[in-house]
Amino acid sequence: MQVIDRRKALSIPPVWRLAFRPFFLAGSVYALLAIPLWVAAWSGLLPDFQPAGGWLAWHRHEMLFGFAMAIVAGFLLTAVQTWTGQTAPSGRRLMGLAVVWLAARLSWLFGLPAAWLAPLDLLFLLALAWMMAGMLWAVRQKRNYPIVVVLSLMFGADVLTLTGLLKGDDGLQRQGVLAGLWLVAALMALIGGRVIPFFTQRGLGKVDAVKPWVWLDIALLVGSGVVGLLHAFGTALQPHPLLGLLFVAIGIGHLLRLARWYDHGIWKVGLLWSLHLAMLWLVVAAFGLALWHFGLLTQPSPALHALSVGSMSGLILAMIARVTLGHTGRPLQLPAGIVGAFVLLNVGTASRVFLSVAWPVAGLWLAATCWVLAFALYVWRYAPMLVSPRVDGHPG
Protein backbone atom coordinates (compact mmCIF):
# COMPACT_ATOMS: atom_id res chain seq x y z
CA MET A 1 0.00 0.00 0.00
CA GLN A 2 1.32 3.41 -0.96
CA VAL A 3 1.48 5.81 1.97
CA ILE A 4 2.37 9.43 1.24
CA ASP A 5 2.74 12.21 3.79
CA ARG A 6 0.59 14.72 1.91
CA ARG A 7 1.90 17.81 3.67
CA LYS A 8 5.51 16.77 3.15
CA ALA A 9 4.89 15.84 -0.49
CA LEU A 10 3.22 19.17 -1.24
CA SER A 11 6.08 21.08 0.40
CA ILE A 12 8.46 19.82 -2.31
CA PRO A 13 8.79 22.16 -5.32
CA PRO A 14 6.54 20.71 -8.04
CA VAL A 15 9.36 19.92 -10.47
CA TRP A 16 10.94 17.55 -7.91
CA ARG A 17 7.80 15.69 -6.85
CA LEU A 18 8.03 12.82 -9.34
CA ALA A 19 10.74 11.78 -11.78
CA PHE A 20 8.73 12.41 -14.94
CA ARG A 21 8.84 16.14 -14.24
CA PRO A 22 12.58 16.92 -14.30
CA PHE A 23 13.55 14.16 -16.71
CA PHE A 24 10.85 14.73 -19.33
CA LEU A 25 11.69 18.42 -19.25
CA ALA A 26 15.46 17.97 -19.29
CA GLY A 27 15.34 15.22 -21.90
CA SER A 28 13.13 17.16 -24.29
CA VAL A 29 15.17 20.35 -23.92
CA TYR A 30 18.32 18.32 -24.53
CA ALA A 31 16.77 16.83 -27.67
CA LEU A 32 15.90 20.32 -28.79
CA LEU A 33 19.51 21.48 -28.41
CA ALA A 34 21.54 18.39 -29.29
CA ILE A 35 20.37 17.86 -32.86
CA PRO A 36 21.07 21.45 -33.99
CA LEU A 37 24.54 21.13 -32.45
CA TRP A 38 25.15 17.89 -34.32
CA VAL A 39 23.92 19.25 -37.65
CA ALA A 40 25.99 22.40 -37.21
CA ALA A 41 29.08 20.29 -36.52
CA TRP A 42 28.31 17.95 -39.44
CA SER A 43 27.99 21.00 -41.68
CA GLY A 44 31.39 22.32 -40.59
CA LEU A 45 30.02 25.28 -38.67
CA LEU A 46 31.85 24.45 -35.42
CA PRO A 47 35.44 23.80 -36.54
CA ASP A 48 37.06 25.01 -33.31
CA PHE A 49 34.86 23.17 -30.82
CA GLN A 50 35.00 19.44 -30.14
CA PRO A 51 33.31 17.39 -27.40
CA ALA A 52 35.06 14.41 -25.85
CA GLY A 53 35.82 11.85 -28.56
CA GLY A 54 34.65 14.11 -31.38
CA TRP A 55 31.21 15.02 -32.65
CA LEU A 56 30.23 11.61 -34.02
CA ALA A 57 31.06 9.87 -30.74
CA TRP A 58 29.12 12.53 -28.84
CA HIS A 59 26.08 12.31 -31.13
CA ARG A 60 25.88 8.52 -31.01
CA HIS A 61 26.28 8.32 -27.26
CA GLU A 62 24.22 11.27 -26.16
CA MET A 63 21.08 10.66 -28.19
CA LEU A 64 20.85 7.26 -26.52
CA PHE A 65 22.47 7.46 -23.09
CA GLY A 66 21.73 11.16 -22.61
CA PHE A 67 18.39 11.97 -24.21
CA ALA A 68 16.62 8.60 -24.34
CA MET A 69 17.76 7.37 -20.93
CA ALA A 70 16.60 10.60 -19.30
CA ILE A 71 13.09 9.87 -20.57
CA VAL A 72 13.37 6.21 -19.58
CA ALA A 73 14.39 7.26 -16.07
CA GLY A 74 11.49 9.69 -15.82
CA PHE A 75 8.99 7.10 -16.99
CA LEU A 76 10.24 4.15 -14.93
CA LEU A 77 10.75 6.04 -11.67
CA THR A 78 7.22 7.40 -12.00
CA ALA A 79 5.55 4.17 -13.09
CA VAL A 80 7.26 2.06 -10.43
CA GLN A 81 5.36 3.94 -7.73
CA THR A 82 2.09 2.79 -9.28
CA TRP A 83 3.40 -0.73 -9.88
CA THR A 84 4.72 -1.32 -6.37
CA GLY A 85 2.86 1.05 -4.06
CA GLN A 86 6.27 2.27 -2.86
CA THR A 87 7.09 5.96 -2.63
CA ALA A 88 9.19 6.93 -5.65
CA PRO A 89 12.27 9.16 -5.45
CA SER A 90 11.42 12.82 -4.98
CA GLY A 91 12.89 15.96 -3.49
CA ARG A 92 16.63 15.96 -2.85
CA ARG A 93 17.07 12.34 -3.90
CA LEU A 94 15.52 13.03 -7.28
CA MET A 95 17.43 16.29 -7.57
CA GLY A 96 20.69 14.43 -6.94
CA LEU A 97 19.95 11.98 -9.75
CA ALA A 98 19.13 14.84 -12.11
CA VAL A 99 22.35 16.66 -11.19
CA VAL A 100 24.38 13.53 -11.98
CA TRP A 101 22.64 13.26 -15.36
CA LEU A 102 23.31 16.93 -16.16
CA ALA A 103 26.93 16.75 -15.02
CA ALA A 104 27.54 13.80 -17.33
CA ARG A 105 26.02 15.66 -20.28
CA LEU A 106 28.10 18.78 -19.69
CA SER A 107 31.25 16.74 -19.09
CA TRP A 108 30.95 15.00 -22.45
CA LEU A 109 30.02 18.15 -24.36
CA PHE A 110 32.81 20.29 -22.95
CA GLY A 111 35.48 17.65 -23.36
CA LEU A 112 36.22 16.56 -19.81
CA PRO A 113 38.85 13.80 -19.92
CA ALA A 114 37.25 10.39 -20.39
CA ALA A 115 38.67 9.15 -17.10
CA TRP A 116 36.56 11.80 -15.35
CA LEU A 117 33.39 11.79 -17.41
CA ALA A 118 33.05 7.98 -17.49
CA PRO A 119 32.29 7.60 -13.75
CA LEU A 120 29.72 10.41 -13.94
CA ASP A 121 28.02 8.85 -16.94
CA LEU A 122 27.95 5.38 -15.41
CA LEU A 123 26.78 6.64 -12.02
CA PHE A 124 23.49 7.80 -13.52
CA LEU A 125 22.65 4.39 -15.00
CA LEU A 126 23.84 2.60 -11.88
CA ALA A 127 21.68 4.78 -9.63
CA LEU A 128 18.65 4.29 -11.89
CA ALA A 129 19.03 0.51 -11.92
CA TRP A 130 19.60 0.46 -8.15
CA MET A 131 16.50 2.54 -7.42
CA MET A 132 14.34 0.40 -9.67
CA ALA A 133 15.73 -2.83 -8.24
CA GLY A 134 15.18 -1.67 -4.66
CA MET A 135 11.54 -0.73 -5.19
CA LEU A 136 10.71 -3.89 -7.14
CA TRP A 137 12.54 -6.15 -4.70
CA ALA A 138 10.77 -4.58 -1.72
CA VAL A 139 7.47 -6.07 -2.91
CA ARG A 140 9.03 -9.03 -4.79
CA GLN A 141 7.42 -7.89 -8.04
CA LYS A 142 8.96 -10.51 -10.29
CA ARG A 143 6.92 -9.43 -13.31
CA ASN A 144 9.08 -6.34 -13.66
CA TYR A 145 12.47 -7.86 -12.86
CA PRO A 146 13.29 -7.99 -16.61
CA ILE A 147 13.38 -4.18 -16.55
CA VAL A 148 16.24 -4.28 -14.04
CA VAL A 149 18.01 -6.87 -16.19
CA VAL A 150 17.75 -4.59 -19.23
CA LEU A 151 18.94 -1.57 -17.23
CA SER A 152 21.91 -3.59 -15.98
CA LEU A 153 22.77 -4.58 -19.53
CA MET A 154 22.45 -0.90 -20.53
CA PHE A 155 25.07 -0.16 -17.89
CA GLY A 156 27.28 -2.78 -19.53
CA ALA A 157 26.70 -1.26 -22.97
CA ASP A 158 27.71 2.14 -21.63
CA VAL A 159 30.84 0.62 -20.08
CA LEU A 160 31.71 -0.76 -23.51
CA THR A 161 31.12 2.61 -25.17
CA LEU A 162 33.19 4.48 -22.60
CA THR A 163 35.98 1.91 -22.84
CA GLY A 164 36.05 2.64 -26.55
CA LEU A 165 36.25 6.34 -25.76
CA LEU A 166 39.15 5.81 -23.34
CA LYS A 167 41.01 3.68 -25.89
CA GLY A 168 40.13 5.83 -28.89
CA ASP A 169 38.49 2.74 -30.41
CA ASP A 170 35.57 3.76 -32.61
CA GLY A 171 34.54 0.14 -33.13
CA LEU A 172 34.04 -0.48 -29.41
CA GLN A 173 32.03 2.72 -29.11
CA ARG A 174 29.79 1.62 -31.95
CA GLN A 175 29.33 -1.82 -30.41
CA GLY A 176 28.26 -0.28 -27.12
CA VAL A 177 25.87 2.26 -28.61
CA LEU A 178 24.16 -0.22 -30.95
CA ALA A 179 23.90 -2.74 -28.12
CA GLY A 180 22.26 -0.05 -26.00
CA LEU A 181 19.90 0.93 -28.81
CA TRP A 182 18.59 -2.62 -29.13
CA LEU A 183 18.28 -2.92 -25.37
CA VAL A 184 16.04 0.15 -25.47
CA ALA A 185 14.13 -1.64 -28.23
CA ALA A 186 13.72 -4.53 -25.79
CA LEU A 187 12.24 -2.13 -23.23
CA MET A 188 9.95 -0.76 -25.92
CA ALA A 189 8.80 -4.27 -26.75
CA LEU A 190 8.11 -4.97 -23.07
CA ILE A 191 6.45 -1.71 -22.03
CA GLY A 192 4.79 -1.06 -25.38
CA GLY A 193 3.29 -4.52 -25.37
CA ARG A 194 1.61 -3.73 -22.07
CA VAL A 195 0.45 -0.15 -22.50
CA ILE A 196 -0.43 0.27 -26.18
CA PRO A 197 -3.32 -2.26 -26.19
CA PHE A 198 -4.55 -0.81 -22.89
CA PHE A 199 -4.32 2.80 -24.09
CA THR A 200 -6.04 1.82 -27.34
CA GLN A 201 -8.90 0.17 -25.48
CA ARG A 202 -9.34 3.14 -23.15
CA GLY A 203 -8.91 5.73 -25.87
CA LEU A 204 -11.53 4.14 -28.12
CA GLY A 205 -13.95 3.21 -25.35
CA LYS A 206 -13.67 -0.51 -25.98
CA VAL A 207 -14.88 -2.98 -23.37
CA ASP A 208 -11.73 -5.12 -23.41
CA ALA A 209 -8.16 -4.67 -24.51
CA VAL A 210 -6.60 -7.12 -26.96
CA LYS A 211 -5.30 -10.01 -24.89
CA PRO A 212 -1.53 -10.44 -25.21
CA TRP A 213 0.13 -13.46 -26.69
CA VAL A 214 2.62 -13.94 -23.89
CA TRP A 215 4.88 -16.15 -25.99
CA LEU A 216 5.19 -13.41 -28.60
CA ASP A 217 5.88 -10.70 -26.03
CA ILE A 218 8.62 -12.84 -24.48
CA ALA A 219 10.06 -13.69 -27.88
CA LEU A 220 10.31 -10.02 -28.89
CA LEU A 221 11.86 -9.06 -25.56
CA VAL A 222 14.42 -11.86 -25.72
CA GLY A 223 15.03 -11.41 -29.45
CA SER A 224 15.79 -7.71 -29.07
CA GLY A 225 18.03 -8.48 -26.11
CA VAL A 226 19.92 -11.08 -28.14
CA VAL A 227 20.42 -8.54 -30.94
CA GLY A 228 21.80 -6.14 -28.34
CA LEU A 229 24.27 -8.74 -27.09
CA LEU A 230 25.31 -9.64 -30.64
CA HIS A 231 26.13 -5.99 -31.22
CA ALA A 232 28.02 -5.81 -27.93
CA PHE A 233 30.24 -8.69 -29.04
CA GLY A 234 30.65 -7.17 -32.49
CA THR A 235 28.99 -10.09 -34.26
CA ALA A 236 26.12 -8.04 -35.69
CA LEU A 237 28.35 -5.29 -37.07
CA GLN A 238 29.06 -7.34 -40.19
CA PRO A 239 26.29 -8.59 -42.49
CA HIS A 240 25.34 -12.25 -42.16
CA PRO A 241 22.29 -14.03 -43.61
CA LEU A 242 21.47 -15.80 -40.33
CA LEU A 243 21.23 -12.44 -38.59
CA GLY A 244 19.02 -11.31 -41.44
CA LEU A 245 16.61 -14.10 -40.55
CA LEU A 246 16.61 -12.97 -36.91
CA PHE A 247 15.67 -9.44 -37.96
CA VAL A 248 12.94 -10.78 -40.24
CA ALA A 249 11.51 -12.71 -37.28
CA ILE A 250 11.60 -9.60 -35.07
CA GLY A 251 9.94 -7.52 -37.77
CA ILE A 252 7.20 -10.10 -38.34
CA GLY A 253 6.62 -10.38 -34.59
CA HIS A 254 6.13 -6.65 -34.15
CA LEU A 255 3.99 -6.44 -37.27
CA LEU A 256 1.78 -9.24 -35.97
CA ARG A 257 1.30 -7.44 -32.67
CA LEU A 258 0.43 -4.21 -34.46
CA ALA A 259 -2.11 -6.03 -36.62
CA ARG A 260 -3.75 -7.50 -33.50
CA TRP A 261 -3.86 -4.10 -31.77
CA TYR A 262 -5.11 -2.21 -34.81
CA ASP A 263 -8.45 -0.44 -34.92
CA HIS A 264 -9.30 2.11 -37.59
CA GLY A 265 -10.48 4.44 -34.83
CA ILE A 266 -6.88 5.16 -33.77
CA TRP A 267 -6.50 7.65 -36.64
CA LYS A 268 -8.95 9.98 -34.91
CA VAL A 269 -6.90 10.05 -31.69
CA GLY A 270 -3.43 11.60 -31.77
CA LEU A 271 -2.41 9.92 -28.53
CA LEU A 272 -3.04 6.55 -30.19
CA TRP A 273 -1.85 6.71 -33.79
CA SER A 274 1.42 8.24 -32.61
CA LEU A 275 2.09 5.13 -30.49
CA HIS A 276 1.15 2.68 -33.23
CA LEU A 277 3.20 4.53 -35.83
CA ALA A 278 6.24 4.54 -33.55
CA MET A 279 6.06 0.77 -33.29
CA LEU A 280 5.61 0.52 -37.06
CA TRP A 281 8.97 2.28 -37.50
CA LEU A 282 10.47 -0.56 -35.46
CA VAL A 283 9.15 -2.96 -38.10
CA VAL A 284 10.74 -0.81 -40.81
CA ALA A 285 14.02 -0.86 -38.90
CA ALA A 286 14.00 -4.64 -38.45
CA PHE A 287 13.20 -5.34 -42.10
CA GLY A 288 15.75 -2.75 -43.23
CA LEU A 289 18.48 -4.39 -41.18
CA ALA A 290 17.42 -7.77 -42.53
CA LEU A 291 17.91 -6.45 -46.07
CA TRP A 292 21.36 -5.16 -45.11
CA HIS A 293 22.34 -8.51 -43.65
CA PHE A 294 21.10 -10.21 -46.82
CA GLY A 295 23.34 -7.90 -48.86
CA LEU A 296 20.43 -6.05 -50.48
CA LEU A 297 21.19 -2.66 -48.89
CA THR A 298 24.59 -1.00 -48.93
CA GLN A 299 24.46 0.50 -45.43
CA PRO A 300 22.53 -0.02 -42.18
CA SER A 301 22.32 3.67 -41.21
CA PRO A 302 18.82 4.38 -42.61
CA ALA A 303 17.37 1.36 -40.80
CA LEU A 304 19.13 2.31 -37.57
CA HIS A 305 17.63 5.79 -37.79
CA ALA A 306 14.20 4.27 -38.38
CA LEU A 307 14.73 2.64 -34.99
CA SER A 308 16.34 5.54 -33.15
CA VAL A 309 14.36 8.46 -34.60
CA GLY A 310 11.07 6.98 -35.78
CA SER A 311 10.50 4.27 -33.22
CA MET A 312 12.43 5.18 -30.07
CA SER A 313 11.98 8.94 -30.29
CA GLY A 314 8.48 8.65 -31.73
CA LEU A 315 7.44 6.47 -28.82
CA ILE A 316 9.14 8.87 -26.42
CA LEU A 317 7.25 11.88 -27.75
CA ALA A 318 3.92 10.04 -27.73
CA MET A 319 4.45 8.67 -24.22
CA ILE A 320 5.66 11.87 -22.59
CA ALA A 321 2.73 13.75 -24.12
CA ARG A 322 0.31 11.29 -22.53
CA VAL A 323 2.08 10.63 -19.22
CA THR A 324 2.51 14.33 -18.49
CA LEU A 325 -1.21 14.94 -18.89
CA GLY A 326 -2.20 12.00 -16.72
CA HIS A 327 0.30 12.61 -13.92
CA THR A 328 -0.47 16.32 -13.66
CA GLY A 329 -4.18 15.58 -13.17
CA ARG A 330 -5.30 16.74 -16.59
CA PRO A 331 -7.73 15.08 -19.00
CA LEU A 332 -6.13 13.16 -21.85
CA GLN A 333 -6.69 15.91 -24.38
CA LEU A 334 -3.68 17.05 -26.36
CA PRO A 335 -2.75 20.74 -26.19
CA ALA A 336 -2.84 22.69 -29.44
CA GLY A 337 0.07 21.89 -31.72
CA ILE A 338 1.04 18.50 -30.31
CA VAL A 339 -0.60 16.51 -33.10
CA GLY A 340 1.54 18.69 -35.35
CA ALA A 341 4.57 17.64 -33.31
CA PHE A 342 3.74 13.98 -33.94
CA VAL A 343 3.38 14.66 -37.66
CA LEU A 344 6.65 16.59 -37.77
CA LEU A 345 8.60 13.83 -36.05
CA ASN A 346 7.30 11.23 -38.50
CA VAL A 347 7.98 13.45 -41.51
CA GLY A 348 11.47 14.03 -40.16
CA THR A 349 11.98 10.30 -39.74
CA ALA A 350 10.91 9.63 -43.32
CA SER A 351 13.33 12.32 -44.46
CA ARG A 352 16.22 10.83 -42.48
CA VAL A 353 15.47 7.24 -43.48
CA PHE A 354 14.50 7.65 -47.14
CA LEU A 355 15.16 11.15 -48.50
CA SER A 356 18.68 11.44 -47.11
CA VAL A 357 19.76 8.35 -49.05
CA ALA A 358 19.38 10.25 -52.32
CA TRP A 359 19.88 13.81 -51.06
CA PRO A 360 22.00 13.63 -47.88
CA VAL A 361 22.25 17.34 -47.13
CA ALA A 362 18.62 18.22 -47.84
CA GLY A 363 17.38 15.08 -46.12
CA LEU A 364 19.40 15.68 -42.97
CA TRP A 365 18.46 19.35 -42.71
CA LEU A 366 14.76 18.61 -43.21
CA ALA A 367 14.90 15.81 -40.63
CA ALA A 368 16.68 18.06 -38.13
CA THR A 369 14.24 20.91 -38.67
CA CYS A 370 11.24 18.63 -38.14
CA TRP A 371 12.86 17.16 -35.01
CA VAL A 372 13.56 20.56 -33.48
CA LEU A 373 10.07 21.85 -34.20
CA ALA A 374 8.48 18.70 -32.76
CA PHE A 375 10.33 18.91 -29.45
CA ALA A 376 10.00 22.70 -29.34
CA LEU A 377 6.23 22.25 -29.48
CA TYR A 378 6.39 19.75 -26.62
CA VAL A 379 8.54 22.04 -24.47
CA TRP A 380 6.34 25.04 -25.25
CA ARG A 381 3.10 23.31 -24.32
CA TYR A 382 4.25 20.99 -21.55
CA ALA A 383 7.02 22.78 -19.66
CA PRO A 384 4.48 24.85 -17.67
CA MET A 385 2.71 21.62 -16.66
CA LEU A 386 5.96 19.96 -15.59
CA VAL A 387 6.98 22.77 -13.24
CA SER A 388 3.51 23.45 -11.79
CA PRO A 389 1.49 21.55 -9.17
CA ARG A 390 -1.12 19.04 -10.27
CA VAL A 391 -4.33 20.78 -11.25
CA ASP A 392 -6.33 18.51 -8.93
CA GLY A 393 -4.25 19.48 -5.89
CA HIS A 394 -2.87 15.98 -5.28
CA PRO A 395 0.82 15.25 -4.66
CA GLY A 396 2.90 14.06 -7.59
Side-chain angles (χ1 to χ4, degrees):
M1 179 180 177
Q2 184 178 323
V3 179
I4 295 177
D5 184 331
R6 181 181 177 86
R7 181 179 298 178
K8 182 179 179 181
L10 291 176
S11 70
I12 299 170
V15 73
W16 303 115
R17 289 180 185 174
L18 271 178
F20 79 94
R21 292 177 174 274
F23 284 113
F24 286 6
L25 182 58
S28 56
V29 169
Y30 195 45
L32 182 59
L33 298 175
I35 289 300
L37 272 176
W38 163 241
V39 173
W42 182 81
S43 303
L45 301 178
L46 299 172
D48 300 323
F49 182 77
Q50 289 283 322
W55 281 108
L56 179 58
W58 175 83
H59 172 66
R60 283 189 306 212
H61 181 274
E62 289 300 278
M63 296 316 295
L64 178 65
F65 293 104
F67 158 62
M69 289 311 296
I71 305 299
V72 168
F75 175 80
L76 290 179
L77 290 176
T78 299
V80 73
Q81 179 167 283
T82 303
W83 296 342
T84 65
Q86 304 291 301
T87 302
S90 62
R92 292 181 181 178
R93 193 172 172 215
L94 180 56
M95 189 184 302
L97 186 64
V99 167
V100 170
W101 176 86
L102 180 60
R105 310 289 65 82
L106 294 175
S107 298
W108 197 298
L109 180 61
F110 290 104
L112 198 70
W116 289 90
L117 75 84
L120 277 174
D121 200 60
L122 293 171
L123 180 58
F124 172 71
L125 283 176
L126 185 64
L128 172 59
W130 181 261
M131 289 176 179
M132 286 296 298
M135 294 183 70
L136 294 173
W137 177 255
V139 296
R140 304 298 191 269
Q141 195 175 82
K142 297 179 181 179
R143 179 173 183 256
N144 285 315
Y145 286 175
I147 292 173
V148 178
V149 173
V150 173
L151 290 176
S152 301
L153 291 172
M154 283 294 296
F155 177 84
D158 202 15
V159 168
L160 190 60
T161 307
L162 292 165
T163 301
L165 181 67
L166 284 163
K167 292 184 174 182
D169 187 331
D170 185 73
L172 273 181
Q173 293 180 57
R174 193 160 181 263
Q175 287 171 225
V177 168
L178 292 179
L181 180 59
W182 276 99
L183 290 170
V184 170
L187 274 180
M188 291 161 55
L190 176 64
I191 303 297
R194 294 179 185 175
V195 304
I196 294 176
F198 173 70
F199 289 167
T200 302
Q201 174 236 330
R202 294 290 296 271
L204 298 180
K206 302 289 184 179
V207 176
D208 297 308
V210 175
K211 294 188 182 301
W213 287 352
V214 176
W215 64 269
L216 181 56
D217 292 347
I218 293 173
L220 290 172
L221 171 64
V222 173
S224 298
V226 167
V227 170
L229 291 174
L230 290 172
H231 278 98
F233 289 111
T235 308
L237 296 183
Q238 300 299 323
H240 194 287
L242 288 179
L243 291 177
L245 292 175
L246 175 57
F247 282 111
V248 167
I250 290 173
I252 290 173
H254 279 291
L255 192 59
L256 181 57
R257 284 209 307 186
L258 279 169
R260 297 188 69 241
W261 299 340
Y262 181 75
D263 186 292
H264 67 275
I266 64 171
W267 300 109
K268 299 177 182 178
V269 185
L271 282 172
L272 296 181
W273 65 253
S274 55
L275 293 168
H276 287 252
L277 208 52
M279 297 307 290
L280 185 60
W281 280 114
L282 180 47
V283 175
V284 173
F287 286 157
L289 287 169
L291 291 174
W292 179 70
H293 279 283
F294 291 145
L296 300 175
L297 289 180
T298 58
Q299 56 176 320
S301 180
L304 291 172
H305 282 87
L307 174 57
S308 59
V309 182
S311 190
M312 181 184 78
S313 303
L315 192 63
I316 281 173
L317 189 59
M319 287 293 289
I320 63 178
R322 181 189 181 95
V323 170
T324 303
L325 293 174
H327 280 282
T328 57
R330 290 172 168 82
L332 297 178
Q333 297 173 357
L334 286 172
I338 300 303
V339 169
F342 296 155
V343 172
L344 282 164
L345 190 68
N346 282 282
V347 170
T349 303
S351 178
R352 183 62 185 86
V353 173
F354 301 115
L355 185 63
S356 64
V357 175
W359 297 283
V361 176
L364 184 61
W365 275 95
L366 177 58
T369 301
C370 289
W371 170 283
V372 169
L373 290 174
F375 280 97
L377 283 167
Y378 175 82
V379 172
W380 177 36
R381 291 300 189 184
Y382 281 88
M385 303 181 198
L386 293 167
V387 299
S388 302
R390 286 178 61 110
V391 294
D392 56 12
H394 292 307

